[in-house]
Amino acid sequence: MKTTSGHIINEAFVLDLLAKIPDPEIPVISIIELGIVRDVLIQNNGVTVKYTPTYSGCPAMDMISMQIKLALKEAGIENAKLEQVLSPAWTTEWMTETGKRKLEQYGIAPPNPIGDSDKPRCCPHCGSINTQLLSQFGSTSCKALYQCLSCKEPFEYFKCH
Amino acid sequence: MTSKHSSYKEPLIQYLVFLADTNLILSQRNSEWCGHGPVLEQDIAITNITLDLLGQARLLYQYAAELINKENPSANETEDTLAYHRLEREYKNLLLTELPKGDWAVTILRQFLYSVYQQLLYTELLNGKDKHLAAIAEKSLKETHYHVKWSSEWVLRLGDGTPESHARMENALLSLWMYTDEMFIAAAYEDKSITGIAVTELKKEWLTRVSAILQEATLAVPSDDLFMQTGGKTGVHTEHMGYILADLQYLQRTYPGANW
Ligand SMILES: [Zn+2]
């Protein structure tokens, strides 16, 4: 199968397109780095992208599915299908290491591995481990609000999920 | 009064609609706090919980619509038509969820009573008869876990707080308790032969978990001979329900099919 401009469509080609789609809420990481893309199927009748929503009420999910369709269409892939996979449920374990590093540079403490304590490893601004929880719920469902007791800055922590 | 929506008799569809309605109506109620929470962090917390409930309701409605359309290809149901076009008597939500939001004590106590139940019920659904519903439950449970934690902490803080907060919690308990039994009385579409779950059997564990937190919060667990109100699961609602739907459905009733 080829795109309308003649490029061969394979999994790597599609994944490359998806890797350029930013998370609408945290634009420094891509949806690949966020770990929500489960599978890309290339069949004779078209391309199917399987993805897992992060939180069920996440308003970014509708935006993301639109962006996927748009990106594929712009690359010349017509009628791409999106399939939502609910089980196994999305977990922060699926976030890539690069994604976690980018989060930290952006000022959001990345999630710890599941099983470790569900607290930020350190303040993303100054690196201090002296932090306290302000609220279990931050500006989006996936984040909690913390404050650093060393540099006094508030910051968000991407919760283990 | 009925609409075409009353014609969907398949128990699984009715059960999905019951689960979805319960979450939708509670999220509609909680959303009244948006911009009015006692402090910014808690305003954000209740709004996040509201979004989770709404998102779970959407997954349930989407699945119900899919099953309806499979059976009646001309039905053209969607998550939106199910939420916006049904009449009061076609809504199956628990009465508990439609009661006015009251003060902060009522809101958090209701969330607590419901979230503990939701956690127990959805854990059972993981091994229920329907695979897709099990997947929705799996996804939802991760969120419900936070709701239980957050609301438990608030029950403790207010119950074991000042005389004022304690008194408000006592009032909240008194006004909400009579709506809790409905959770454990199975409607016809909720029979174990359909869902694979004996909802009556969840009551004991629910009571144990709820009582533990209430006692720690220095609140007396209401006696079990209290009158219990039921009806929501079969569409017989309180006087508050019509007002919620008027609010929720206003736009689609005024401008049918409006889109943006
Ligand atoms: Zn710091």
Side-chain angles (χ1 to χ4, degrees):
Chain A
M1 199 169 54
K2 290 183 177 177
T3 66
T4 44
S5 57
H7 198 288
I8 292 172
I9 301 173
N10 54 27
E11 197 181 330
F13 178 71
V14 176
L15 283 174
D16 214 42
L17 293 172
L18 298 177
K20 294 194 181 87
I21 301 176
D23 175 317
E25 301 273 5
I26 315 166
V28 285
I29 59 170
S30 75
I31 59 171
I32 296 284
E33 287 160 340
L34 184 62
I36 61 168
V37 176
R38 303 269 34 90
D39 206 0
V40 172
L41 298 177
I42 315 282
Q43 287 153 326
N44 291 334
N45 53 352
V47 174
T48 305
V49 176
K50 293 189 177 187
Y51 73 101
T52 307
T54 50
Y55 283 69
S56 16
C58 182
M61 293 317 302
D62 286 338
M63 175 92 176
I64 288 173
S65 50
M66 201 175 73
Q67 283 177 321
I68 295 178
K69 281 191 178 157
L70 231 111
L72 298 191
K73 200 174 166 67
E74 272 171 9
I77 301 172
E78 293 294 330
N79 304 322
K81 280 204 290 285
L82 289 187
E83 208 179 295
Q84 203 181 57
V85 185
L86 294 176
S87 176
W90 178 80
T91 157
T92 42
E93 295 289 281
W94 294 347
M95 192 184 281
T96 66
E97 288 309 313
T98 324
K100 288 181 188 171
R101 234 181 1 260
K102 286 183 181 173
L103 274 185
E104 194 155 29
Q105 283 160 5
Y106 187 60
I108 300 172
N112 284 329
I114 301 276
D116 281 18
S117 76
D118 194 6
K119 285 198 305 206
R121 196 175 48 80
C122 65
C123 164
H125 304 300
C126 74
S128 164
I129 54 164
N130 195 11
T131 64
Q132 70 171 1
L133 175 72
L134 293 182
S135 173
Q136 196 55 247
F137 296 86
S139 61
T140 60
S141 301
C142 51
K143 289 172 277 168
L145 202 57
Y146 274 79
Q147 186 184 14
C148 173
L149 296 173
S150 297
C151 72
K152 311 292 184 205
E153 286 293 319
F155 67 92
E156 290 191 302
Y157 165 59
F158 204 113
K159 291 181 274 197
C160 297
H161 192 75
Chain B
M1 239 169 86
T2 57
S3 72
K4 66 166 182 174
H5 299 94
S6 292
S7 64
Y8 310 137
K9 300 289 184 217
E10 172 67 31
L12 178 59
I13 292 171
Q14 296 200 32
Y15 187 54
L16 290 169
V17 167
F18 150 68
L19 295 172
D21 287 348
T22 295
N23 267 19
L24 175 68
I25 297 301
L26 184 54
S27 74
Q28 178 74 10
R29 269 299 182 224
N30 282 349
S31 71
E32 291 171 22
W33 281 105
C34 187
H36 300 275
V39 287
L40 184 60
E41 285 78 11
Q42 300 311 324
D43 190 305
I44 293 171
I46 191 76
T47 317
N48 267 313
I49 289 173
T50 298
L51 261 180
D52 288 340
L53 294 171
L54 183 62
Q56 296 162 8
R58 288 186 61 187
L59 294 174
L60 293 160
Y61 282 134
Q62 285 163 8
Y63 184 36
E66 188 189 319
L67 294 181
I68 293 169
N69 295 337
K70 208 180 276 173
E71 226 173 90
N72 325 271
S74 62
N76 286 324
E77 294 288 357
T78 65
E79 52 179 322
D80 286 333
T81 60
L82 288 174
Y84 292 129
H85 295 178
R86 275 179 310 132
L87 302 166
E88 179 178 330
R89 292 297 291 266
E90 291 159 346
Y91 261 81
K92 301 183 199 307
N93 57 284
L94 295 172
L95 296 178
L96 179 73
T97 61
E98 70 198 45
L99 303 171
K101 77 180 197 306
D103 58 10
W104 188 243
V106 169
T107 290
I108 59 122
L109 183 68
R110 164 169 52 198
Q111 191 61 53
F112 170 67
L113 298 173
Y114 177 66
S115 292
V116 173
Y117 158 79
Q118 193 188 11
Q119 193 174 41
L120 285 168
L121 178 63
Y122 280 41
T123 304
E124 291 296 311
L125 283 176
L126 292 178
N127 304 310
K129 286 198 168 178
D130 190 85
K131 288 283 161 291
H132 190 73
L133 180 52
I136 296 176
E138 181 187 340
K139 177 105 209 88
S140 308
L141 270 172
K142 286 191 147 193
E143 296 153 6
T144 309
H145 173 71
Y146 283 117
H147 305 172
V148 171
K149 187 164 180 279
W150 176 84
S151 57
S152 303
E153 285 167 3
W154 266 103
V155 170
L156 293 176
R157 188 189 295 193
L158 293 187
D160 196 12
T162 65
E164 169 78 18
S165 69
H166 182 85
R168 283 176 183 258
M169 282 304 284
E170 279 184 329
N171 279 338
L173 256 181
L174 215 61
S175 58
L176 296 180
W177 197 258
M178 67 187 277
Y179 297 98
T180 54
D181 220 29
E182 185 179 25
M183 302 191 276
F184 308 104
I185 300 172
Y189 53 78
E190 223 183 340
D191 194 82
K192 192 177 177 180
S193 63
I194 296 145
T195 60
I197 295 160
V199 74
T200 328
E201 289 164 22
L202 298 180
K203 186 173 177 180
K204 198 167 160 255
E205 181 60 22
W206 177 84
L207 198 59
T208 306
R209 292 187 190 188
V210 165
S211 302
I213 297 288
L214 290 181
Q215 277 158 9
E216 199 183 333
T218 71
L219 291 161
V221 181
S223 72
D224 55 8
D225 56 359
L226 218 64
F227 170 74
M228 289 290 178
Q229 183 69 52
T230 58
K233 285 180 174 177
T234 49
V236 183
H237 293 280
T238 66
E239 67 272 28
H240 307 292
M241 187 65 183
Y243 292 96
I244 303 181
L245 291 186
D247 212 15
L248 177 78
Q249 299 182 335
Y250 168 79
L251 198 97
Q252 286 300 326
R253 295 291 187 193
T254 317
Y255 305 99
N259 218 325
W260 64 84

